[in-house]
Amino acid sequence: MTLNGRRILLGVTGGIAAYKTPELVRRLREAGADVRVVMSAGAEAFITPLTLQAVSGHRVRTHLLDAEAEAGMGHIELARWADQVLIAPATAQVIARLAHGFADDLLSTLVLATEAGVWIAPAMNRVMWDARAVRENCRVLEARGMHVLGPGVGDQACGEQGAGRMLEPDEIVGQLRGREPVLAGLRFVVTAGPTHEPIDPVRFLGNRSSGRMGFAVAEALAEAGARVDLVAGPVRLATPPGVERFDVATAEEMLSAVSARIDHADGFVGVAAVADYRPASLAGDKIKKSGQPLTLQLVENPDILATVARRRPKPFVVGFAAETRDLESAARGKLKAKGADLIAANRVGQNRGFDTEDNTLEVFGADCHWSLGNRSKRDLARELVAIIAERMQPKEHRNQQ
Ligand code: PMT
């Protein structure tokens, strides 16, 4: 989508990231957009209207009940003028106000009065971003067709690290043009779902993985511009747009499907809940009751993640860890033992992790850690992909390892 000639109404609210908005206005104007700015009272504590007036070339509006300003372009005209409304930074406060349809200040009134698309770039402390109220408010806004940009993951003004940082002006401009293809030109192989290890013609050893998390990761990678091969265990899910899917049943089939596609891959994400063991032999006929205990002998399955991580050149390898206890030490153990670059760990149990819509992830690298609190698997996948994009080294460097 070109921004040339676009009329963008920028709403600035009261967060420290407001200091980046003059740069944002400059970038939007460089892209050809005509930008008018509305500021909340809180935003004025961080940046002056004069600065934004200077960079936008238009008077900045700050109050709903401003007789002088209304004599020029009134708030309804301003709402009609906009092709696109962008709120950056969007605080937890403005997100809550929009979710509840408030109309007691200029910005919230404009959002109610406009027919233009609304895009919000949240900026807040990571714990606030994880707060259930904020997540639910964002979901309400998305369900109404608004677009949530980011937030980014990384160092925060409060000294913490995590998700909640406003996207950089360049990233916002890129996303307004269309989702930023940060992984364009890269190829990924993703595994998803359970494996089924047959015991006899009608029974198998399996687990409760629905495939949702792996499919969400494949979708988020494709959204980020990557070419994605998805190797899926037995699940009932539609293939995400832009993703090529290969269905398998057992761990051995999954390994051979991955091996057939990994040669030219830049990254591998192992989300599948692969059975560690399979029956040593497959009964040719249905096993009958005998009145005696039945012993099944199991043999270990190949470890797909570790096999991929041993390859040279090595793709960027992301594993998952499903744990019922000692999450961090178990995840760090798997990171090292399997040779992964990142491990996304989740607690699993009754109604937790497996076969749920939402989840919580702790992502560990050798020298880094991100906490992604409870949210939809789709949102988690997008944030995980942002972390992957940030951590992936240039291809040439990886090939030397
Ligand atoms: O599918 P959903 O219902 O959405 O649920 C998501 C999930 C709970 C399955 C997912 O979030 C998750 O935790 N996936 C990993 C499950 C798992 O098998 O974890 P693990 O800790 O046993 O294995 C660690 C890593 O090694 C995983 O990346 C796994 O894919 C990989 N592995 C394990 C065994 C094996 N033989 N080969 C492997 O590649």
Side-chain angles (χ1 to χ4, degrees):
M1 185 200 313
T2 175
L3 295 182
N4 197 18
R6 285 230 126 206
R7 294 185 300 222
I8 297 183
L9 185 64
L10 173 64
V12 181
T13 68
I16 179 65
Y19 84 90
K20 294 182 181 172
T21 53
E23 181 64 16
L24 176 59
V25 173
R26 279 193 44 220
R27 295 271 175 252
L28 289 168
R29 291 193 73 195
E30 279 166 16
D34 185 4
V35 184
R36 291 183 187 241
V37 181
V38 167
M39 294 174 74
S40 71
E44 289 186 72
F46 292 93
I47 185 162
T48 69
L50 196 59
T51 309
L52 288 166
Q53 176 176 310
V55 289
S56 68
H58 295 290
R59 187 174 164 195
V60 170
R61 297 279 311 262
T62 51
H63 291 95
L64 178 59
L65 306 174
D66 177 340
E68 201 188 318
E70 289 289 312
M73 191 185 274
H75 68 275
I76 297 293
E77 281 164 279
L78 200 51
R80 283 195 199 123
W81 170 86
D83 294 321
Q84 201 160 9
V85 176
L86 166 65
I87 304 179
T91 57
Q93 165 79 347
V94 78
I95 290 170
R97 293 163 63 77
L98 297 184
H100 289 89
F102 278 42
D104 60 349
D105 70 1
L106 181 57
L107 185 57
S108 53
T109 307
L110 283 168
V111 170
L112 284 184
T114 192
E115 288 178 332
V118 179
W119 303 67
I120 63 171
M124 65 198 75
N125 161 272
R126 67 171 181 89
V127 183
M128 289 175 73
W129 174 245
D130 279 344
R132 216 167 140 192
V134 175
R135 314 295 320 161
E136 285 173 6
N137 287 336
C138 281
R139 240 170 263 161
V140 167
L141 297 184
E142 285 188 305
R144 288 185 198 146
M146 293 190 197
H147 307 268
V148 178
L149 303 177
V153 180
D155 291 336
Q156 300 206 298
C158 52
E160 297 186 20
Q161 258 225 340
R165 182 177 64 75
M166 187 178 88
L167 292 184
E168 293 302 324
D170 276 343
E171 293 172 304
I172 293 177
V173 173
Q175 293 225 15
L176 290 187
R177 284 188 165 127
R179 288 235 177 242
E180 183 78 340
V182 283
L183 297 175
L186 300 188
R187 299 175 68 128
F188 276 79
V189 177
V190 178
T191 64
T195 62
H196 286 181
E197 310 296 333
I199 298 169
D200 68 15
V202 296
R203 303 185 180 95
F204 57 82
L205 290 177
N207 61 67
R208 289 189 286 117
S209 169
S210 64
R212 284 194 195 98
M213 188 71 232
F215 275 54
V217 167
E219 183 173 16
L221 287 166
E223 270 177 10
R227 213 177 126 178
V228 185
D229 285 347
L230 172 62
V231 179
V235 295
R236 290 188 194 164
L237 292 176
T239 310
V243 167
E244 200 161 349
R245 170 179 180 170
F246 306 90
D247 288 321
V248 297
T250 67
E252 287 184 306
E253 286 169 15
M254 190 171 269
L255 175 62
S256 69
V258 167
S259 303
R261 284 156 189 93
I262 199 71
D263 265 356
H264 303 292
D266 302 280
F268 173 76
V269 190
V271 195
V274 185
D276 286 324
Y277 291 92
R278 67 177 185 279
S281 59
L282 168 63
D285 291 308
K286 185 179 166 200
I287 299 171
K288 299 262 190 279
K289 270 201 293 200
S290 68
Q292 296 296 315
L294 174 71
T295 304
L296 275 180
Q297 199 184 359
L298 302 179
V299 292
E300 213 170 292
N301 267 328
D303 193 303
I304 302 167
L305 190 75
T307 307
V308 171
R310 280 195 297 270
R311 291 178 68 88
R312 293 295 176 270
K314 178 185 167 213
F316 189 83
V317 175
V318 182
F320 269 64
E323 307 297 339
T324 51
R325 51 186 288 202
D326 304 327
L327 187 81
E328 176 160 1
S329 59
R332 288 200 181 280
K334 284 180 183 170
L335 182 78
K336 214 166 166 200
K338 300 196 184 218
D341 295 288
L342 294 173
I343 287 276
N346 49 180
R347 288 185 197 285
V348 291
Q350 196 74 29
N351 300 324
R352 217 170 175 190
F354 283 92
D355 201 11
T356 55
E357 295 292 343
D358 290 12
N359 200 7
T360 300
L361 288 180
E362 300 289 330
V363 184
F364 299 98
D367 56 356
C368 48
H369 170 222
W370 295 264
S371 287
L372 310 182
N374 193 264
R375 61 200 67 164
S376 71
K377 287 182 175 173
R378 239 181 177 181
D379 283 352
L380 284 173
R382 286 194 181 132
E383 285 176 33
L384 181 62
V385 166
I387 293 172
I388 292 172
E390 190 184 297
R391 299 296 294 188
M392 273 182 89
Q393 298 165 352
K395 200 173 181 177
E396 312 77 61
H397 185 158
R398 280 202 312 281
N399 290 349
Q400 286 158 15
Q401 290 183 335

